Amino acid sequence: MQAILLVGGFGTRLRPLTLTTPKQMLPVLHRPMVEHVVSGLARHGVERVVLALGYHDEAFRSAYPGGRCAGVELCCVVESEPLDTAGAIRFAYAASGMEDSRGTFLVANGDVITDLDVSEMLRLHRSAGAEATIHLIEVEDPSRYGVVVTEAGGRVSAFVEKPPRPAPSNWINAGTYLMEPSVVGRIDGGRRVSVEREIFPAMAADGTLWALKHNTYWVDAGTPQTYLRVQLDLLDGRRGPAVAGVSPEASVDPGAVVERSVVMAGAVVGEGSVVRGSAVHSSAVIEAGAQVMDSVVGSGATVGQGARVTDGTLVGEHFDVEPGATLSEARVPGAV
Ligand code: GTP
């Protein structure tokens, strides 16, 4: 099985972290997000991954110069301008030579961290004779997602992106798809095309789209809260045995308190400081007496003495938070 991983988006919801590093190259625990996604696919038999790149493509290409990631062969293709999700699939399919194999392929959003059983999805896809099959997850508030209505057996009768309330179902598009090559033939070349807004609704109308309802571990790690949550879930043991958050190559003062947090290699946490529910990226410095709560401090950034950084604040790479400053729900530097 080959997979196209969509990793070319701007990641605006994670700015300013994504101004310098594309979303899927941001660290999740101690490895780039893309490695978590690729190893998940590899566990389910994916042998070759095509990275559909655009924004900051060089960050991926320089991280994996040998063309391998998490034991899987990588092929990098770069759009000269963003083609949106379906346009990216069409481009990657042709540019990577996938059209030669003419088989079923997998597509995944690069920020979806999940324990989806791809083999189960493939069984449904084959037995239904589907043109494409989507993974669905049930959520309490579906309004900001693609909402999917299915018939008994899994055929999709409606696919509505970000519906008005009340939504027609609580099952949402979870961002992993199996596709037949004919799907690519539905995507126009030379313009931006969205798989969620254009291709899936058309396929639902044609009766060729199926869906697997599978409530397993699933997080779309594209917002400050969910980007932190995927990491805290690993620390808390919500996905297998709990793992340590503090890198052996970080320096934490014995007089500092670090709780339920990721502190990456080269980071320094000073005396009397408190880091709780947060991620401190490589070589960041938390000075004495500072507090970092439920926030992300980008690599090489500094939180000055006695400063308080709380409530989902994102501190961009190499930014200095002034000593004594208070930041809550902030993004520094501000949006560009
Ligand atoms: P936000 O700006 O925060 O919404 O993030 P995003 O740009 O990543 O958009 P979104 O999360 O909705 O995109 C879903 C997936 O598709 C992500 O993995 C993106 O990287 C990817 N993606 C979105 N647009 C494009 C595109 O034009 N080309 C490619 N190759 N990938 C894209």
Side-chain angles (χ1 to χ4, degrees), residues 246-247 249-258 263 267-271 273:
V246 179
S247 161
E249 291 156 59
S251 161
V252 177
D253 189 278
V257 175
V258 175
V263 181
V268 177
V269 181
E271 191 188 355
S273 60

Side-chain angles (χ1 to χ4, degrees), residues 2-336:
Q2 300 191 61
I4 295 174
L5 207 52
L6 300 172
V7 291
F10 292 110
T12 51
R13 290 166 296 166
L14 282 176
R15 283 181 183 168
L17 298 172
T18 46
L19 291 176
T20 38
T21 303
K23 178 165 52 178
Q24 291 87 359
M25 285 305 296
L26 288 174
V28 165
L29 210 51
H30 304 290
R31 292 188 295 154
M33 186 187 297
V34 68
E35 287 191 30
H36 292 263
V37 179
V38 172
S39 12
L41 295 176
R43 276 196 295 278
H44 291 284
V46 169
E47 289 168 336
R48 180 172 185 251
V49 169
V50 178
L51 292 184
L53 300 171
Y55 181 65
H56 278 316
D57 61 286
E58 72 292 342
F60 296 89
R61 291 190 288 125
S62 59
Y64 307 104
R68 291 196 81 77
C69 170
V72 172
E73 181 191 338
L74 268 195
C75 167
C76 293
V77 300
V78 187
E79 293 150 44
S80 53
E81 57 185 308
L83 294 171
D84 210 339
T85 43
I89 294 168
R90 179 190 154 109
F91 177 78
Y93 187 79
S96 66
M98 275 174 74
E99 54 194 350
D100 300 336
S101 67
R102 301 223 52 81
T104 306
F105 60 97
L106 188 143
V107 175
N109 285 347
D111 44 11
V112 165
I113 311 289
T114 181
D115 291 332
L116 166 69
D117 184 348
V118 176
S119 316
E120 189 183 339
M121 191 162 153
L122 188 59
R123 276 195 293 278
L124 171 69
H125 181 79
R126 293 245 187 278
S127 67
E131 188 180 6
T133 302
I134 329 173
H135 173 213
L136 305 185
I137 278 281
E138 196 174 21
V139 296
E140 263 174 38
D141 176 13
S143 56
R144 63 189 182 91
Y145 299 100
V147 171
V148 181
V149 183
T150 53
E151 298 166 0
R155 191 196 298 262
V156 174
S157 54
F159 187 105
V160 196
E161 188 66 13
K162 303 188 176 61
R165 288 170 212 240
S169 128
N170 278 22
W171 290 90
I172 59 144
N173 169 18
T176 304
Y177 323 121
L178 289 169
M179 290 184 173
E180 293 305 307
S182 60
V183 176
V184 179
R186 291 175 172 268
I187 306 168
D188 286 348
R191 67 173 179 94
R192 290 173 60 86
V193 185
S194 158
V195 77
E196 299 88 352
R197 293 184 186 279
E198 215 171 311
I199 304 304
F200 286 156
M203 292 177 68
D206 291 348
T208 62
L209 185 62
W210 295 71
L212 176 73
K213 291 180 172 173
H214 187 33
N215 274 333
T216 181
Y217 184 87
W218 178 86
V219 178
D220 162 1
T223 70
Q225 290 72 23
T226 56
Y227 172 57
L228 269 175
R229 190 191 317 146
V230 283
Q231 303 184 69
L232 299 184
D233 284 348
L234 291 166
L235 301 184
D236 293 344
R238 285 172 186 245
R239 295 184 71 200
V243 295
V246 179
S247 161
E249 291 156 59
S251 161
V252 177
D253 189 278
V257 175
V258 175
E259 280 177 13
R260 255 187 112 224
S261 293
V262 178
V263 181
M264 295 178 197
V268 177
V269 181
E271 191 188 355
S273 60
V274 178
V275 177
R276 201 168 274 142
S278 296
V280 177
H281 289 184
S282 58
S283 307
V285 178
I286 312 303
E287 289 185 349
Q291 295 190 9
V292 178
M293 313 280 194
D294 308 314
S295 295
V296 181
V297 180
S299 59
T302 301
V303 177
Q305 267 197 358
R308 270 178 61 80
V309 169
T310 65
D311 300 305
T313 291
L314 302 181
V315 179
E317 282 179 26
H318 300 291
F319 185 85
D320 292 338
V321 176
E322 295 285 313
T326 299
L327 296 176
S328 171
E329 294 183 71
R331 289 162 186 246
V332 286
V336 176

